[in-house]
Amino acid sequence: MNIVLDAFGGDNAPISVIKGCLLALDNYRDIKIILSGNKDMLEKIAKENNLSLSRFEICNAKDIIDVEDNPMEICKSKILSSMAVGMNLLKKGDGDAFVSAGSTGALAVGSSLLVGRIKGVKRAALAPVMPSAKGCFMLLDAGANLECRPEMLLQFAIMGSIYSNKVLGVKNPKIGLANVGAESSKGTEAHKQAYILLKQCNYINFIGNVEARDIPFGACDVVVSDGLSGNMILKTMEGTSNFFVKTLRDMYMQTNATKIAAALMSKQNRKLKKRMDYTEYGGAVFMGISQPIIKAHGNSDANAFKNAIRQARECIKQGVIDEISKNIGSSVGDE
Amino acid sequence: MNIVLDAFGGDNAPISVIKGCLLALDNYRDIKIILSGNKDMLEKIAKENNLSLSRFEICNAKDIIDVEDNPMEICKSKILSSMAVGMNLLKKGDGDAFVSAGSTGALAVGSSLLVGRIKGVKRAALAPVMPSAKGCFMLLDAGANLECRPEMLLQFAIMGSIYSNKVLGVKNPKIGLANVGAESSKGTEAHKQAYILLKQCNYINFIGNVEARDIPFGACDVVVSDGLSGNMILKTMEGTSNFFVKTLRDMYMQTNATKIAAALMSKQNRKLKKRMDYTEYGGAVFMGISQPIIKAHGNSDANAFKNAIRQARECIKQGVIDEISKNIGSSVGDE
């Protein structure tokens, strides 16, 4: 299988991209990696950093799309960017999955317009895999579609269920609808209608509404939400986690006694850090696109890129797209 | 000033309510407390627990409204509940502020229908005060109005700014609009229009959009949001904080070495606990109601009730309602 990497996406590109790809090649013998990006620059930077590019195929792309660029430009003035060129490799059949740590907005537009959605899927959802007390859960949508119709939420539930089962190995994944209260009467009109649709769907194991306060404790395996709610959940969890990690670190540094405490807790601290590390589970998947597209975190290091590549490989190996394709069409009527 | 307490609201009522009121009376000599609730039951429980009711006025209310009750019942079958009777004391002029740890939904309905909004206020917002790295911030709306028009968000900003300044003592409070990204072009149509209204308003210090990940770090003093986003922010922060506190406690219990670490960190742990204790700042205020109504947390203990009473007292002393009244009318045209 050919996994395409956006060599110039993310804060630490291209060095971390190259290092992550080398790690992945060492770990997974069944993959081939294509780097999309400016060939001259790649070769120059690789040489300066003593990195070999000999194990990669390089697909030249003279431009870079920036987080400041209007996402729509990926189809216009930035069609020769490393991101657009990489995505077009999927369209042409030269690539089987795409990983980028670049602009989320541009990736969303490119996913839908350059690669295209699975037939029958109304909207693609941005779906990060996040840590919880019971392991991890998938959240979709985390911001690609701020307002969602109930049928879209049903499709998100089906797609999330398939991912959770096939890639994360969860048997009969529990699906929850993020809402302001547990009762079926809670929320907006869209929530109430979605509740009914989810309840009626035999394909999924719908456990009802979940309140945001129960999500970090692992209330369900898949959290379904409109993109606005999902974005708030994702970023509040991230911010609050970062706040705690920083506070704990400050606490440890305060006195000689607390410094000793830090040493006594070093094993536990490492475990906590690993457990809260979002990149351990890979990046966010654009669920509903006809080939696996993974958005790695903007500040991904080599290990994060390796994990995102592992995730792309799992999506391919487990036939996630085919499974969605088979089960999404019959879920709801056409628009 | 007369502060009315719902004696039968919350998980630990009426014992914690009584204890909290006694604490408040010890601390604030300028308040009088009226307990609303079943007089016979109150006297019986007080006697059983060796608590004196001699310092309170009691207003008899034979019924209790439950969290399972439809909130609208507060104006119908539950008009004789401790909550409804207490709110009616405000309407009649016998009370100056109301504190309850009962059903949020019933309190929202009762606030608007029994007590009434300030003239010119389109909707009342549920506004908790929450801890951040820089102290605390007010979030409004946290769930009373799931979908909000831009003019409502502008009014929330003005009311939050007044509370932050008058009660929390913040000079020129920084107002942020909770959104999926920092740029003015981000979010739904309502977000974009609200951004323009907030920018144009001279009364407030609008610093632009804030992303949820920056809120725990104290990005602003007042977070303005629709009730759906706000509910997700509030409960995700609460859940993630609880998760961390639990995890840290588990970490400390693992080995003899970590137990020693816990002892070495005891002062810091206490400080962290106090800092993350939501009830230290009081409860959530129904901003926009013509008298101060405070929603205390459902599991409030005596200290939490004391803090909510302090908060009600501050609202009265600082003339928060008058200040809103003076400044809200001219903010936007009538509906």
Side-chain angles (χ1 to χ4, degrees):
Chain A
M1 59 185 87
N2 295 336
I3 299 179
V4 184
L5 264 285
D6 175 359
F8 288 90
D11 306 340
N12 311 315
I15 295 175
S16 291
V17 181
I18 297 171
K19 287 183 177 167
C21 288
L22 290 170
L23 273 176
L25 286 173
D26 290 341
N27 279 277
Y28 316 116
R29 299 305 168 101
D30 51 0
I31 62 170
K32 215 184 100 182
I33 286 182
I34 306 174
L35 293 178
S36 163
N38 185 310
K39 200 171 175 177
D40 293 341
M41 269 173 75
L42 269 174
E43 282 170 351
K44 184 170 167 282
I45 294 169
K47 202 175 163 190
E48 283 168 6
N49 290 275
N50 259 331
L51 294 165
S52 164
L53 297 176
S54 65
R55 295 163 79 188
F56 307 120
E57 188 179 313
I58 296 175
C59 182
N60 194 36
K62 64 170 189 170
D63 222 340
I64 294 172
I65 191 160
D66 227 65
V67 279
E68 278 85 35
D69 287 323
N70 180 330
M72 288 306 296
E73 294 304 317
I74 193 168
C75 300
K76 298 175 190 172
S77 67
K78 293 292 176 103
I79 194 71
L80 293 181
S81 63
S82 56
M83 193 188 281
V85 167
M87 284 186 163
N88 272 318
L89 287 176
L90 268 61
K91 188 76 181 174
K92 283 190 286 181
D94 294 337
D96 300 305
F98 182 65
V99 174
S100 172
S103 154
T104 310
L107 263 170
V109 172
S111 294
S112 283
L113 299 186
L114 300 177
V115 182
R117 293 195 296 273
I118 296 167
K119 195 169 177 293
V121 168
K122 290 170 196 300
R123 293 292 170 84
L126 180 64
V129 181
M130 297 163 73
S132 81
K134 292 184 185 160
C136 65
F137 66 95
M138 176 170 263
L139 169 70
L140 70 174
D141 176 23
N145 314 279
L146 298 188
E147 291 158 301
C148 291
R149 293 191 309 280
E151 317 88 69
M152 288 162 61
L153 296 173
L154 173 60
Q155 290 197 335
F156 295 169
I158 294 170
M159 296 193 292
S161 185
I162 289 169
Y163 185 95
S164 178
N165 176 251
K166 293 266 174 189
V167 178
L168 302 172
V170 179
K171 215 174 137 179
N172 203 21
K174 286 188 282 202
I175 315 290
L177 178 63
N179 204 339
V180 297
E183 304 85 351
S184 62
S185 61
K186 291 284 183 174
T188 62
E189 267 315 303
H191 282 118
K192 291 174 207 171
Q193 289 175 33
Y195 189 99
I196 297 170
L197 286 180
L198 290 163
K199 196 90 195 163
Q200 286 170 344
C201 177
N202 291 324
Y203 186 79
I204 56 166
N205 173 22
F206 179 54
I207 61 158
N209 290 329
V210 291
E211 289 192 74
R213 71 163 65 91
D214 299 321
I215 294 174
F217 288 94
C220 52
D221 303 301
V222 177
V223 174
V224 174
S225 74
D226 58 272
L228 181 58
S229 298
N231 195 269
M232 296 299 155
I233 295 169
L234 168 69
K235 290 182 182 163
T236 307
M237 266 190 80
E238 206 180 308
T240 311
S241 295
N242 289 345
F243 170 69
F244 262 94
V245 169
K246 192 191 166 299
T247 302
L248 194 56
R249 199 178 298 143
D250 291 348
M251 279 164 63
Y252 283 139
M253 291 308 291
Q254 277 178 14
T255 65
N256 284 336
T258 59
K259 281 175 193 166
I260 294 168
L264 293 170
M265 298 278 285
S266 62
K267 198 179 136 198
Q268 281 74 18
N269 288 332
R270 267 199 308 278
K271 229 173 114 185
L272 176 67
K273 196 171 166 233
K274 197 176 160 77
R275 186 176 176 185
M276 297 315 295
D277 182 2
Y278 285 31
T279 64
E280 275 297 315
Y281 306 98
V285 191
F286 280 95
M287 295 295 289
I289 299 298
S290 59
Q291 282 167 288
I293 312 268
I294 314 285
K295 158 73 179 113
H297 209 285
N299 62 10
S300 289
D301 59 11
N303 199 50
F305 278 111
K306 186 207 79 183
N307 289 334
I309 293 166
R310 182 194 68 212
Q311 188 182 18
R313 174 175 171 266
E314 280 300 309
C315 285
I316 299 168
K317 278 185 69 173
Q318 303 300 331
V320 169
I321 307 289
D322 274 356
E323 195 67 21
I324 292 174
S325 211
K326 256 190 275 171
N327 290 289
I328 207 82
S330 54
S331 68
V332 269
D334 288 328
E335 284 187 73
Chain B
M1 59 186 87
N2 295 337
I3 299 178
V4 184
L5 264 285
D6 175 359
F8 288 90
D11 306 341
N12 310 315
I15 296 175
S16 290
V17 180
I18 299 171
K19 287 185 178 168
C21 288
L22 290 170
L23 273 178
L25 286 174
D26 289 341
N27 279 275
Y28 317 116
R29 300 303 168 103
D30 52 358
I31 62 169
K32 215 184 100 183
I33 287 183
I34 306 174
L35 292 179
S36 163
N38 186 309
K39 199 171 175 177
D40 293 342
M41 271 174 75
L42 268 175
E43 281 170 352
K44 184 171 170 280
I45 294 170
K47 201 176 165 190
E48 284 168 6
N49 290 275
N50 257 332
L51 294 165
S52 163
L53 297 176
S54 65
R55 296 165 78 189
F56 306 120
E57 187 179 315
I58 296 176
C59 182
N60 194 36
K62 63 169 191 172
D63 222 343
I64 294 171
I65 191 158
D66 228 65
V67 279
E68 278 85 34
D69 288 322
N70 181 330
M72 288 306 295
E73 294 304 317
I74 192 166
C75 300
K76 300 176 191 168
S77 67
K78 293 292 175 109
I79 193 73
L80 294 180
S81 62
S82 57
M83 193 188 280
V85 167
M87 283 185 164
N88 271 320
L89 288 176
L90 268 61
K91 188 75 180 175
K92 282 192 285 182
D94 294 338
D96 300 307
F98 182 65
V99 174
S100 173
S103 153
T104 311
L107 263 171
V109 172
S111 294
S112 284
L113 300 187
L114 300 178
V115 182
R117 293 196 296 273
I118 296 168
K119 194 168 179 294
V121 168
K122 291 169 194 302
R123 294 292 170 83
L126 181 64
V129 181
M130 299 163 73
S132 81
K134 292 185 185 159
C136 65
F137 66 95
M138 175 169 264
L139 169 69
L140 71 175
D141 177 24
N145 315 278
L146 298 188
E147 292 158 302
C148 291
R149 294 190 309 281
E151 316 88 69
M152 290 162 61
L153 296 173
L154 173 59
Q155 291 197 334
F156 296 169
I158 293 169
M159 297 192 293
S161 184
I162 289 169
Y163 185 96
S164 178
N165 177 250
K166 293 266 173 189
V167 178
L168 302 172
V170 179
K171 215 174 137 178
N172 204 20
K174 285 187 280 198
I175 316 291
L177 177 65
N179 203 339
V180 298
E183 304 84 350
S184 61
S185 61
K186 290 285 181 174
T188 62
E189 266 317 302
H191 281 117
K192 290 175 207 171
Q193 288 175 33
Y195 188 99
I196 296 170
L197 286 181
L198 290 163
K199 196 88 194 164
Q200 285 169 345
C201 177
N202 290 325
Y203 187 79
I204 56 165
N205 174 21
F206 179 55
I207 61 158
N209 291 327
V210 291
E211 289 192 73
R213 71 161 66 90
D214 298 322
I215 293 174
F217 288 94
C220 51
D221 303 301
V222 177
V223 175
V224 173
S225 73
D226 57 273
L228 181 59
S229 298
N231 195 270
M232 297 297 155
I233 294 169
L234 167 70
K235 291 181 181 163
T236 308
M237 264 191 82
E238 207 181 306
T240 310
S241 294
N242 290 344
F243 170 70
F244 262 94
V245 169
K246 194 192 165 299
T247 303
L248 194 56
R249 199 178 296 143
D250 292 348
M251 279 165 62
Y252 282 140
M253 293 307 293
Q254 277 179 14
T255 66
N256 285 335
T258 60
K259 282 174 193 165
I260 295 168
L264 292 170
M265 298 277 285
S266 61
K267 196 178 137 198
Q268 281 72 20
N269 288 333
R270 270 199 307 279
K271 228 172 115 185
L272 176 67
K273 198 173 163 230
K274 196 174 160 80
R275 187 177 176 182
M276 297 316 295
D277 183 2
Y278 285 29
T279 65
E280 276 295 317
Y281 306 98
V285 191
F286 280 96
M287 295 296 288
I289 299 299
S290 59
Q291 282 167 287
I293 311 268
I294 314 286
K295 157 76 180 111
H297 209 285
N299 64 9
S300 289
D301 59 11
N303 199 49
F305 279 111
K306 186 208 78 182
N307 290 334
I309 293 167
R310 183 194 66 211
Q311 188 183 19
R313 174 175 170 268
E314 281 299 310
C315 285
I316 299 169
K317 278 185 68 171
Q318 303 300 331
V320 169
I321 308 291
D322 275 355
E323 194 68 19
I324 292 175
S325 213
K326 254 189 275 170
N327 291 288
I328 208 81
S330 55
S331 69
V332 268
D334 288 325
E335 282 186 71

